[in-house]
């Protein structure tokens, strides 16, 4: 894998995170990036992630061993026609989109089946853009691969090794099954978050009481509603049928639950909730998923001047960066009085250790 060149079309959250992971684990590699966002390209060069940048796809991409399509799903399909003109015969084309069916269809229409390995890093964040990317985003996350059948097996094996090299977990799936799975575990939850936030917005009174006291569980399950509207607008179009199927199934499940609540069927409700709890508790807490994790602690602090500043100072001395900090006025579903969020698991673990040493009473989800 030494001295390979990786081309990126689009350098947002996922593209930037893949590029940073490549540079972290393969520092000798070369990275070429094309993006209409000049600020992202400038920052990537300043950070030493990109060796070359360009505003348009050109013959610079002929030197690439891999080309990553990292724009919204429908744009990736459009760029393929241009990419075909500038790729070398041995280059592998891949993408990072969360919908696979349409791009595979485009690949076949362009006779590029011999060199396309679809990719979907199952990691994310409620934020978007290169400035929020980081190499650790992909660690312990499934990285689904959907290779075309005409791609030589040695090329597929090499790409699997590449994905494994930056501590992601490769998983090979058929593209149609991939779209069904992601509709269930990623796309549907986002639809629920968007609809729930809008329901509360429309139900709130003029004083915004619901917004004011929303915390804990509500914020956790709706955090992903802050995701890119453009991206989700396109996903709804690109993965329409699998998503509609899952939404129909969910509506049936919710209707059944409503019926049982109306009938006061307490036995059903208990077993329904207990079954969900058992299944949820069986999830592997180590593996990252398509919905970005929140690395945070909640802790009790005395209600006195300088208490928060003291904690911030402790972290500053140990070079632990804080992503967000807030006071929990509503603690129905979360213990503690102060919630502090970090950028990654490493920072969270260091913060927990430091707080325990200083005798703070902390809670971690």
């Amino acid at each position: 894998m030494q001295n390979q060149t990786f081309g990126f079309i689009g350098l947002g959250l996922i593209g930037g995170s893949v590029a940073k992971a490549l540079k972290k684990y393969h520092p000798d590699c070369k990275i070429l990036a094309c993006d209409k966002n000049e600020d992202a390209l400038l920052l990537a060069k300043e950070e030493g992630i990109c060796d070359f940048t360009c505003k348009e796809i050109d013959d610079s991409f002929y030197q690439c061993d891999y080309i990553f399509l990292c724009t919204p799903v429908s744009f990736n399909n459009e760029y393929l026609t241009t990419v075909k003109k500038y790729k070398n015969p041995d280059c592998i084309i891949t993408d990072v989109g969360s919908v696979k069916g349409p791009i595979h269809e485009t690949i076949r229409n362009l006779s590029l089946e011999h060199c396309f390995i679809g990719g979907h890093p199952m990691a994310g964040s409620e934020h978007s853009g290169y400035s929020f990317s980081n190499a650790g985003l992909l660690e312990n996350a499934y990285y689904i691969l959907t290779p075309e059948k005409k791609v030589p097996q040695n090329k597929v094996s090499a790409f699997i090794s590449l994905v494994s090299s930056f501590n992601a977990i490769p998983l090979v799936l058929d593209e149609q099954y991939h779209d069904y799975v992601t509709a269930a575990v990623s796309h549907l939850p986002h639809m629920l978050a968007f609809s729930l936030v809008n329901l509360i917005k429309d139900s709130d009174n003029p004083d915004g009481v619901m917004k004011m006291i929303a915390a804990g569980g509500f914020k956790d399950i709706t955090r992903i509603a802050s995701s890119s509207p453009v991206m989700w607008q396109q996903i709804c179009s690109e993965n329409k049928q699998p998503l509609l199927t899952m939404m129909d199934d969910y509506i049936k499940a919710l209707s059944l639950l409503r019926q049982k609540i109306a009938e006061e069927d307490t036995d059903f409700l208990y077993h329904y909730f207990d079954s969900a709890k058992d299944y949820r508790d069986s999830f592997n807490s180590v593996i990252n998923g398509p919905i970005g994790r929140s690395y945070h602690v909640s802790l009790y602090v005395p209600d006195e001047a300088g208490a928060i500043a003291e904690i911030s100072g402790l972290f500053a001395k140990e070079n632990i960066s804080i992503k967000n900090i807030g006071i929990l006025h509503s603690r129905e579903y979360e213990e503690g009085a102060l919630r502090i969020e970090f950028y990654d698991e490493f920072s969270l673990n260091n913060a927990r250790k430091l707080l325990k040493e200083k005798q703070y009473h902390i809670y971690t989800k």
Side-chain angles (χ1 to χ4, degrees):
M1 297 181 188
Q2 291 183 338
N3 302 320
Q4 288 190 318
T5 300
F6 299 89
F8 285 81
I9 298 169
L11 204 63
L13 174 71
I14 300 300
S17 296
V18 174
K20 287 180 178 180
L22 287 169
K23 274 294 186 181
K24 177 179 179 180
Y25 293 102
H26 306 282
D28 293 333
C29 77
K30 301 297 181 183
I31 291 181
L32 164 66
C34 174
D35 197 300
K36 294 180 179 179
N37 186 334
E38 294 185 24
D39 291 336
L41 294 178
L42 180 61
L43 181 57
K45 288 203 74 171
E46 289 176 350
E47 293 178 342
I49 301 301
C50 287
D51 301 280
F52 319 99
T53 61
C54 56
K55 297 178 184 177
E56 301 290 341
I57 302 171
D58 57 27
D59 55 10
S60 301
F61 280 85
Y62 193 81
Q63 64 186 300
C64 296
D65 298 287
Y66 292 88
I67 295 177
F68 287 80
L69 297 166
C70 304
T71 65
V73 287
S74 67
F75 297 155
N76 283 342
N77 295 348
E78 295 172 8
Y79 283 128
L80 277 170
T81 302
T82 306
V83 168
K84 183 178 180 180
K85 300 176 184 176
Y86 296 111
K87 68 171 289 295
N88 71 61
D90 293 325
C91 177
I92 288 293
I93 300 173
T94 186
D95 73 322
V96 297
S98 65
V99 182
K100 296 269 84 74
I103 195 167
H104 275 270
E105 183 178 353
T106 303
I107 284 291
R108 291 161 193 159
N109 290 337
L110 292 172
S111 300
L112 291 171
E113 302 100 308
H114 63 288
C115 62
F116 182 73
I117 302 175
H120 179 196
M122 297 287 283
S125 167
E126 68 272 28
H127 300 295
S128 58
Y130 177 81
S131 60
F132 291 102
S133 64
N134 70 86
L137 187 69
L138 306 176
E139 292 181 359
N140 294 316
Y142 283 114
Y143 197 123
I144 298 179
L145 304 179
T146 59
E148 279 285 332
K149 292 180 175 59
K150 293 185 179 180
V151 178
Q153 186 55 48
N154 67 313
K155 294 279 190 179
V156 176
S157 297
F159 195 45
I160 289 174
S161 296
L162 179 66
V163 168
S164 299
S165 73
F166 46 76
N167 291 330
I169 305 168
L171 178 65
V172 178
L173 295 178
D174 168 84
E175 71 270 12
Q176 299 299 328
Y177 185 61
H178 165 276
D179 289 353
Y180 175 74
V181 169
T182 53
V185 301
S186 177
H187 303 167
L188 177 62
H190 278 83
M191 298 305 107
L192 302 184
F194 291 131
S195 59
L196 183 54
V197 168
N198 280 321
L199 174 64
I200 297 303
K201 176 178 71 70
D202 295 339
S203 303
D204 210 354
N205 70 7
D207 295 327
V209 172
M210 290 185 180
K211 178 181 178 181
M212 180 173 63
I213 66 174
F218 183 83
K219 281 190 174 179
D220 283 343
I221 65 175
T222 60
R223 178 167 49 88
I224 54 177
S226 295
S227 301
S228 166
V230 173
M231 179 179 73
W232 284 101
Q233 177 192 46
Q234 293 198 1
I235 286 174
C236 286
S237 297
E238 297 291 333
N239 205 30
K240 176 182 173 181
Q241 198 52 56
L243 178 56
L244 289 177
T245 298
M246 281 296 163
M247 291 180 75
D248 288 341
D249 289 344
Y250 182 77
I251 290 169
K252 291 176 184 176
L254 193 61
S255 296
L256 175 62
L257 184 58
R258 184 194 185 284
Q259 175 188 333
K260 296 301 182 181
I261 292 172
E263 294 172 353
E264 298 184 8
D265 189 341
T266 54
D267 286 341
F268 174 89
L269 294 174
Y270 174 82
H271 290 296
Y272 189 85
F273 300 147
D274 188 52
S275 174
K277 179 183 184 302
D278 285 346
Y279 187 64
R280 176 61 179 82
D281 290 346
S282 72
F283 289 5
N284 189 336
S285 61
V286 177
I287 302 299
N288 290 333
I291 298 172
R293 295 174 63 188
S294 176
Y295 303 100
H296 70 270
V297 295
S298 299
L299 64 151
Y300 285 111
V301 293
D303 186 11
E304 58 186 38
I308 297 177
E310 179 179 344
I311 293 172
S312 299
L314 287 175
F315 292 147
K317 288 179 182 178
E318 298 297 325
N319 293 315
I320 300 174
S321 297
I322 296 174
K323 181 178 182 181
N324 201 359
I325 187 169
I327 297 172
L328 299 172
H329 296 292
S330 175
R331 298 195 287 276
E332 184 177 2
Y333 300 105
E334 186 166 14
E335 297 179 279
L338 186 70
R339 175 185 168 117
I340 306 173
E341 187 176 4
F342 305 92
Y343 286 97
D344 50 46
E345 190 170 14
F346 180 76
S347 299
L348 171 62
N349 291 336
N350 284 343
R352 290 181 65 190
K353 180 180 178 182
L354 181 61
L355 290 169
K356 285 181 178 179
E357 289 174 354
K358 299 298 181 181
Q359 304 301 310
Y360 281 100
H361 194 181
I362 68 172
Y363 302 88
T364 305
K365 282 191 175 182

